[in-house]
Every structure is written in structure tokens, then in C-alpha cells.
Amino acid sequence: MRTDFSEDYFENETFSPLDPDKTAQYLDESGAFASFFENYEPRIPQLQLTKAICNCFNEHAVGAFEAGTGVGKSLAYLLPAMIWAKQNKERVVISTDTINLQQQLIEKDVPTAKKILGKEFAGLRSVLVKGRHNFLCLRRLSQALQENDLFSAGTEELNTIKEWAMDAKEGSRSELGFLPSDTVWTSVCSEPDNCLSNKCPYYAGCFVMKMKREAENASILVV
């Protein structure tokens, strides 16, 4: 986790600090998380990590931590991040190395963290932010379909993507029911060099723009 800001930035802002002990208590034997299990045993390294991350937020510091599998690292940084975001009306970015971990955070860990923190956090928005190449470009799909013919390779895949695009929620490749070939996906995915922005005839339904609008209104960005 990194928080890089200038000293002048913090001198001009008033922040509501986190309470490390209170935050870690959510994961302790008498905390909210314990109520989800019959025989809950708190993990001391997880509690220590939670407090350390709280201190990083409070001190606007850079922290480097190492913890083994099973410690519960995700909740250890999600709880402080979500409390900080809500208390200070600040957007917090959580960066991962893989899309699989991003999906796990959004689909499993963030909802769990909300349950732990209670009803007042139910409305806290979190968004999975992926790179452009993960999203379908409707204009490029239209072009690919026009340039393709019945005897071209990838015709079946393009037609399947077209049908999926009509009801797609986020327009991400991971949302597809199959894994398209690299050649086909490269011809229809969103690329910055090919983006016409608000001049695009498909701008209103653009999946990338939709993701950006959601990110603007979110408190937690998983990137």
C-alpha cells in the first residue's frame, strides 16, 4: 500500500484519523467477523497488520509488509481503506498484480468487509477498474463485422460477441461465456489510439466510459 502526497497537501487538509485498535477489533474474537463463525480464532498477524495499515493512513506514510498465506491480508487492508474513505470522503485505490485477485476483491472480499463494518457501509461504492484492452469497443466491433465475410476466420466468434454485446453489463472480456482468440479480441477491443471519445457514434453505450463514470462516483477503486 502506498500513500504519496506532498506535505503541503496535508497541511491544507483536515483528516479524521483511524482508530487502529477499534479497527482491528472488528477481526478480534469479540468482533463482528467472529459472529460469522461458530469457532472463530483471531489471527494475531492479521490484527497487527490491520493496525499497521491504519497507522500508515494516519501518518500519510509508505508501508511495506509481508504476510504468508492464510493471514487474511485482504480484510486487513480493506477495513482501514473503507473506513478511511467514508470518514474522510476520500477515494482509495487498491492495486493488485492480477485481474483474478481484482475479481476476488470485488466479488468476495469487499462484500464481506461491508458486512463486517455494518449497515452504514452498505452504500459504499467500489468499482473494478481494468485497462482499456479488457473492454469491447462497439465501433470497432461494427467495423470488424462489416469487413468480415462468411469465409473469414473468426466469423463465428464475432457473431457470438455481437449477440453478447446487446445485453452485456460491463462489456469486459471476462464477462464473455467463452475465451475469444487473440486475433479476434484485438480487432474489437478498446484502444486509446483508436478512441474517438465523445465524437464516437457509440459513445452513449461505451463500456469504457461507463466504467470511468462509475469510478468517479466510487470510494474504493480496485485496479
Side-chain angles (χ1 to χ4, degrees), residues 163-206:
E163 293 178 7
W164 160 75
M166 294 178 181
D167 300 312
K169 183 178 179 181
E170 64 174 32
S172 170
R173 177 167 52 175
S174 62
E175 190 184 6
L176 267 169
F178 73 101
L179 185 63
S181 65
D182 290 340
T183 301
V184 169
W185 186 253
T186 300
S187 69
V188 299
C189 70
S190 177
E191 294 182 340
D193 294 340
N194 290 309
C195 182
L196 300 180
S197 190
N198 58 0
K199 295 180 180 179
C200 177
Y202 297 92
Y203 182 77
C206 177

Side-chain angles (χ1 to χ4, degrees), residues 105-121:
L105 287 171
I106 286 293
E107 296 172 6
K108 178 185 176 182
D109 297 329
V110 168
T112 298
K114 286 184 177 182
K115 290 180 181 179
I116 293 172
L117 293 173
K119 294 181 180 180
E120 61 181 304
F121 284 82

Side-chain angles (χ1 to χ4, degrees), residues 113-138:
K114 286 184 177 182
K115 290 180 181 179
I116 293 172
L117 293 173
K119 294 181 180 180
E120 61 181 304
F121 284 82
L124 192 74
R125 294 186 179 183
S126 57
V127 173
L128 173 57
V129 182
K130 303 177 185 178
R132 270 184 175 271
H133 65 280
N134 289 286
F135 293 92
L136 174 69
C137 173
L138 296 173

Side-chain angles (χ1 to χ4, degrees), residues 1-19:
M1 182 194 72
R2 293 192 55 143
T3 51
D4 297 325
F5 300 100
S6 66
E7 293 183 2
D8 291 339
Y9 176 82
F10 288 109
E11 288 178 357
N12 297 325
E13 295 287 342
T14 301
F15 292 94
S16 176
L18 300 176
D19 185 328

